[in-house]
Amino acid sequence: MQLQWRPYRFPLSRALTTAQGRWEERSGWLLRLETADGAMGWGEAAPLPGGESWCAAAINELPSESDRADLEAMLLAMPAPVGFALGLALAELDGLGAEGWHPAPPSAVLLPAGEAALRVLRLALAVHQPNPLPFSAKWKVGVLDLGTELNLLKEVLTLMPEGSNLRLDANGSWDRPTAERWAERLMDEPRLQWLEQPLAPSDQDGLMALSRKLPVALDESLRDPAGVPNGWSGWRVHKPAIEGDPRQLLQRLQAGAPLEMVSTVFETGIGNRAISHLAAMAADGPNPCAAGLAPGWGAQGSLASSDPQQVWEAAEP
């Protein structure tokens, strides 16, 4: 098998500020994996900001040609984004997408931190069209001081229609007293779908205790060494592009695992078609809900194409 890598870089359509920092652009690598008989598999390594050098070093150590067994062995030692690229390309060679890639399912609207959330929410509600799922929004919190964000919560809830869903994503930034303040405010709020990673992955007891009061979804815990708390029965928010070989999640979704949701980290069209495919499988599973595909935030133009060759050519240095 011949491996070819190509770097890419693009600005986000708007900067995204989270509790972990500010995103203004995305960079990564595209993978074209070709067999001796001309079959092609495509992948993408899309590390989070700060992880680029680690992935670059790993990619530079990979041979330009390898047999299947050696490639599978090397994949296990790769940084998770590189493992995703390799696993995705191998999955395509094994038939993933051969009968067509599932189109993206309905997605939650991504609301930026701070007062900008109100403007984006108003615009999203103005253009919202009926679909099989209720209107859903995900709001990035844990960025401003607690009082300011709780005041903004009142305005967000005033705008959210009855029957809609609101997800609050703190990216593991809250401590227990802060989480308790939010819990007091949201205890009887029917539009709260979940708190996404409200506490650090290391605070497993706190996560379990909070989940007994309010719905909680895990995100960073799925990739942290601390892991998922024992006995966890709540939602899992998967970001496949930074979780490693996607074939494991594919198997979980094929088996009908409950309470699984798939989210993006702003990939190009190559990564996005796989993320959309997995998100559609999750949405068709036992607990359908809006995906986390952040429409309008990622790559634009040819870099967003569903044709991998177009994406490849658009990323040419």
Side-chain angles (χ1 to χ4, degrees), residues 17-19 110-111 137-143 149 166-174 194-198 217 219-220 237 239 263:
T17 300
T18 76
L110 177 58
L111 304 180
K138 171 179 173 175
W139 181 29
K140 289 289 185 179
V141 294
V143 176
E149 288 192 330
L166 178 63
R167 306 165 183 175
L168 302 179
D169 185 6
N171 291 111
S173 66
W174 291 346
W194 61 58
L195 301 177
E196 187 169 323
Q197 199 68 50
D219 177 348
E220 283 84 354
V237 176
K239 292 184 169 68
S263 187

Side-chain angles (χ1 to χ4, degrees), residues 25 34 72 100 116 130 163 183 194 205 212 215 249 275:
E25 67 174 18
E34 187 173 2
E72 293 278 8
W194 61 58
D205 289 343
R212 289 189 281 268
L249 177 58
I275 303 303

Side-chain angles (χ1 to χ4, degrees), residues 27-259:
S27 60
W29 293 262
L30 307 177
L31 168 63
R32 184 165 65 184
L33 184 61
E34 187 173 2
T35 65
D37 61 2
M40 201 84 72
W42 300 87
E44 176 175 347
L48 296 181
E52 295 91 347
S53 59
W54 184 33
C55 289
I59 288 171
N60 289 335
E61 291 179 0
L62 286 168
S64 59
E65 293 190 12
S66 178
D67 62 28
R68 176 71 179 250
D70 286 344
L71 196 56
E72 293 278 8
M74 289 186 289
L75 185 157
L76 298 174
M78 291 291 104
V82 181
F84 173 79
L86 293 168
L88 176 57
L90 291 170
E92 184 172 7
L93 289 174
D94 289 340
L96 179 64
E99 298 181 358
W101 295 86
H102 297 329
S107 176
V109 173
L110 177 58
L111 304 180
E115 292 190 3
L118 303 176
R119 176 178 56 83
V120 173
L121 179 56
R122 290 189 183 99
L123 289 172
L125 288 169
V127 301
H128 179 62
Q129 299 295 324
N131 61 58
L133 297 173
F135 179 82
S136 298
K138 171 179 173 175
W139 181 29
K140 289 289 185 179
V141 294
V143 176
L144 305 178
D145 66 86
L146 176 59
T148 298
E149 288 192 330
L150 287 176
N151 286 333
L152 285 171
L153 175 65
K154 297 177 184 177
E155 297 186 64
V156 168
L157 290 174
T158 298
L159 293 171
M160 293 287 289
E162 183 179 351
S164 61
N165 293 317
L166 178 63
R167 306 165 183 175
L168 302 179
D169 185 6
N171 291 111
S173 66
W174 291 346
D175 55 21
R176 291 192 190 185
T178 300
E180 285 297 323
R181 287 285 304 278
W182 283 92
E184 290 171 5
R185 174 62 184 83
L186 294 164
M187 192 74 71
D188 299 316
E189 175 51 63
R191 290 165 293 181
L192 176 68
Q193 190 168 27
W194 61 58
L195 301 177
E196 187 169 323
Q197 199 68 50
L199 302 171
S202 58
D203 190 2
Q204 296 195 346
D205 289 343
L207 287 166
M208 290 296 289
L210 190 60
S211 72
R212 289 189 281 268
K213 299 179 180 179
L214 294 171
V216 173
L218 298 183
D219 177 348
E220 283 84 354
S221 288
L222 305 185
R223 303 178 299 278
D224 191 88
V228 175
N230 289 332
W232 183 260
S233 58
W235 282 91
R236 301 173 188 233
V237 176
H238 291 278
K239 292 184 169 68
I242 54 174
E243 289 184 9
D245 189 342
R247 292 173 294 181
Q248 298 177 18
L249 177 58
L250 180 63
Q251 291 174 357
R252 285 179 60 86
L253 296 176
Q254 288 172 333
L259 301 176

Side-chain angles (χ1 to χ4, degrees), residues 6-29:
R6 177 166 288 182
Y8 69 80
R9 184 182 300 273
F10 64 85
L12 293 181
S13 59
R14 62 175 75 96
L16 177 66
T17 300
T18 76
Q20 303 303 322
R22 182 177 173 86
W23 292 19
E24 295 184 344
E25 67 174 18
R26 295 294 285 122
S27 60
W29 293 262

